[in-house]
Amino acid sequence: MHASLCDFLSDIVQNAVESGADFIRVVLDEGDTTFTCTVEDTGKGMSEAVLKRVTDPFYTDGVKHAKRKVGLGIPFLIQAVEAVSGTFSLESTEGKGTKVIFSFALDHIDCPPKGDVASTLLSMISFPGSYHLVVRRTLSIGGGQDAYVGDRTGLEELLGSFTDVGALQLLRTYLQSQEAAMDEIRN
């Protein structure tokens, strides 16, 4: 089961990477009362038939995880969103890619915790594979605003291969510093 909003985000991005996407765009918009995530990819997309079934927890394509008999990621996300008066949308075109948008009402008593955004972004950026990932993170609360962009390709060129522990430590420090700047606005 997902314990935080970041867990849902990580699951969707991992699906995009595993679908063979060349490009993945992630937008995280945090406001006073909402946390909205958009994940758009250029992966293999889904056919109309699969798109109709992907919300069924007892459906899996049997390809990505051959021994798995259920596909719970999207159904769990929809259940969590509905439980907190959030929103969910899914668009996909076979051969072109997929776009998932979901939001959570942060002020709802049953809203899961946000989770560790910096660590989630670190794991998403360092998922193995050859793909371009761009993350745009915004915060707009109480009249204060902040934003930053993380570009996987540019960060890897700057810091070194993400298979290197030193590069990962530098990436973690960078992401934590960006989130710390946002904490100043919250306080």
Side-chain angles (χ1 to χ4, degrees), residues 114-179:
K114 188 175 15 171
D116 186 340
V117 174
S119 291
T120 300
L121 296 178
L122 173 71
S123 70
M124 291 178 350
I125 290 171
S126 62
F127 282 150
S130 177
Y131 58 94
H132 188 139
L133 173 78
V134 176
V135 176
R136 183 172 185 275
R137 169 85 161 102
T138 64
L139 175 70
S140 181
I141 59 172
Q145 295 182 338
D146 198 1
Y148 66 90
V149 174
D151 180 316
R152 181 181 196 256
T153 303
L155 288 166
E156 194 165 30
E157 287 173 3
L158 183 67
L159 303 174
S161 171
F162 294 139
T163 60
D164 179 72
V165 173
L168 288 173
Q169 289 174 331
L170 289 170
L171 179 59
R172 176 182 298 279
T173 300
Y174 167 73
L175 294 169
Q176 287 174 334
S177 71
Q178 297 301 309
E179 287 299 314

Side-chain angles (χ1 to χ4, degrees), residues 22-100:
D22 292 329
F23 179 77
I24 304 164
R25 181 177 57 202
V26 176
V27 179
L28 304 175
D29 290 319
E30 182 178 351
D32 287 316
T33 60
T34 59
F35 190 78
T36 303
C37 301
T38 303
V39 179
E40 189 170 8
D41 70 61
T42 60
K44 64 183 178 184
M46 292 178 259
S47 68
E48 288 288 328
V50 171
L51 193 54
K52 289 178 183 174
R53 298 190 67 198
V54 76
T55 59
D56 179 353
F58 300 104
Y59 170 76
T60 182
D61 66 5
V63 175
K64 186 166 65 168
H65 304 285
K67 295 184 180 187
R68 194 177 287 174
K69 302 296 182 213
V70 295
L72 299 174
I74 296 285
F76 274 162
L77 173 57
I78 292 170
Q79 180 184 28
V81 161
E82 288 175 349
V84 299
S85 303
T87 62
F88 174 84
S89 72
L90 172 65
E91 301 169 13
S92 190
T93 303
E94 194 168 20
K96 292 192 177 183
T98 302
K99 183 176 185 178
V100 178

